[in-house]
Amino acid sequence: VIGTQPNSSAFNGTVSFGVEFNSNQGISSIFFEGDGRFMTELSKPSSDSKLSANVNIQYVFSRNKLSGYANAYINIENVIQGSNPGNLAGQVNFFFSHNDWFIYIGTPSNPVGLKFRIAHANIANTTGYFMVGSLLPDFPTLPANLSSIASSIDFSNLQSSEIIRNGGGFAFGASISTDTGEQEFLIFYGSFNMGVGFDFMLKNFGESAHCIGNSGVLGINGWYAQGQAYSYINAEIGVKVKVFGD
């Protein structure tokens, strides 16, 4: 157990270090893990913490593999919260081996993000991610609330299995949105939501890569970029009137 002095409520946590041995009495792997809490008394449960984090790092000697992750959680009076389930504000993953490596600071499906709320309205929801390495997740689709528009557009060039499975590079993206939910005032009601965002990916397929029917090198010396940008606005206003009944 660790903590700041003289008052551990500023920061406290636990740290552990472990070693695993194989049948030959050699070291198989080592690991380090810990968790920390900010602005919380040491005697109180983790759920009471406004800001917390945990980390896990492991090295496997037989595979020469280093991997790990770190999570950060935030919930300040239900006004500022992590945008992922469980108030998760973001996750960092990394992996290094002989053949592959990557560093993910969020991903398209699990981005780093914060949401700002007043009453039951989402004033703002911000997300972002950055990924680099020899392995990258699929290029993201458009947000679900744009699916009706996206269904009439061909995005096959952005999600080709050839592009997804080969080449290393980097990708990043960000978005911001707001959603008031339905609000009422006297006999009036209304709702408003909007958002804007982008995604970008740049991968290196090597100088031997080329398009079908073209002998030239793909992209710029084998580097090929993909991207998308989007925005939307949806607003509704009306009047509620009781025609029959009390």
Side-chain angles (χ1 to χ4, degrees):
V1 178
I2 58 175
T4 55
Q5 294 296 329
N7 188 346
S8 63
S9 63
F11 170 78
N12 58 78
T14 60
V15 175
S16 61
F17 176 81
V19 179
E20 293 184 358
F21 296 92
N22 55 37
S23 58
N24 298 321
Q25 308 305 315
I27 297 177
S28 174
S29 64
I30 59 176
F31 69 88
F32 168 86
E33 61 183 9
D35 64 81
R37 306 182 302 168
F38 299 85
M39 299 177 287
T40 305
E41 294 291 342
L42 184 62
S43 59
K44 292 186 177 181
S46 298
S47 58
D48 188 67
S49 177
K50 305 293 187 295
L51 177 63
S52 63
N54 58 58
V55 61
N56 183 291
I57 302 173
Q58 183 182 54
Y59 184 80
V60 180
F61 287 89
S62 61
R63 301 179 181 177
N64 290 324
K65 181 182 72 174
L66 175 67
S67 61
Y69 64 84
N71 298 312
Y73 302 85
I74 184 170
N75 184 4
I76 301 178
E77 306 301 332
N78 292 324
V79 175
I80 303 176
Q81 299 174 297
S83 61
N84 296 292
N87 296 317
L88 175 65
Q91 182 178 75
V92 176
N93 284 277
F94 63 86
F95 175 88
F96 296 91
S97 69
H98 281 308
N99 299 320
D100 294 300
W101 69 278
F102 63 77
I103 301 173
Y104 299 160
I105 305 175
T107 63
S109 61
N110 189 28
V112 175
L114 291 174
K115 58 184 178 182
F116 303 86
R117 297 171 57 87
I118 296 179
H120 297 291
N122 288 325
I123 301 303
N125 185 25
T126 61
T127 67
Y129 65 89
F130 178 83
M131 307 180 295
V132 61
S134 61
L135 299 172
L136 295 178
D138 297 357
F139 192 83
T141 59
L142 290 172
N145 51 4
L146 293 178
S147 60
S148 60
I149 299 176
S151 61
S152 61
I153 305 175
D154 181 11
F155 289 99
S156 59
N157 65 317
L158 297 180
Q159 299 198 319
S160 165
S161 60
E162 179 88 15
I163 293 174
I164 292 170
R165 297 172 184 171
N166 296 286
F170 65 90
F172 58 90
S175 71
I176 181 170
S177 62
T178 183
D179 186 354
T180 64
E182 184 174 302
Q183 304 295 318
E184 296 184 3
F185 177 72
L186 299 177
I187 63 172
F188 301 98
Y189 73 91
S191 64
F192 176 81
N193 66 81
M194 66 171 292
V196 61
F198 74 93
D199 299 284
F200 179 82
M201 179 180 289
L202 181 65
K203 301 187 75 171
N204 182 10
F205 298 96
E207 295 186 359
S208 61
H210 60 87
C211 295
I212 297 176
N214 190 333
S215 60
V217 178
L218 176 69
I220 301 176
N221 296 325
W223 286 91
Y224 183 80
Q226 305 163 261
Q228 65 183 16
Y230 57 87
S231 63
Y232 64 89
I233 297 177
N234 182 35
E236 181 180 358
I237 190 170
V239 176
K240 289 184 176 181
V241 179
K242 184 176 291 186
V243 179
F244 301 101
D246 296 330

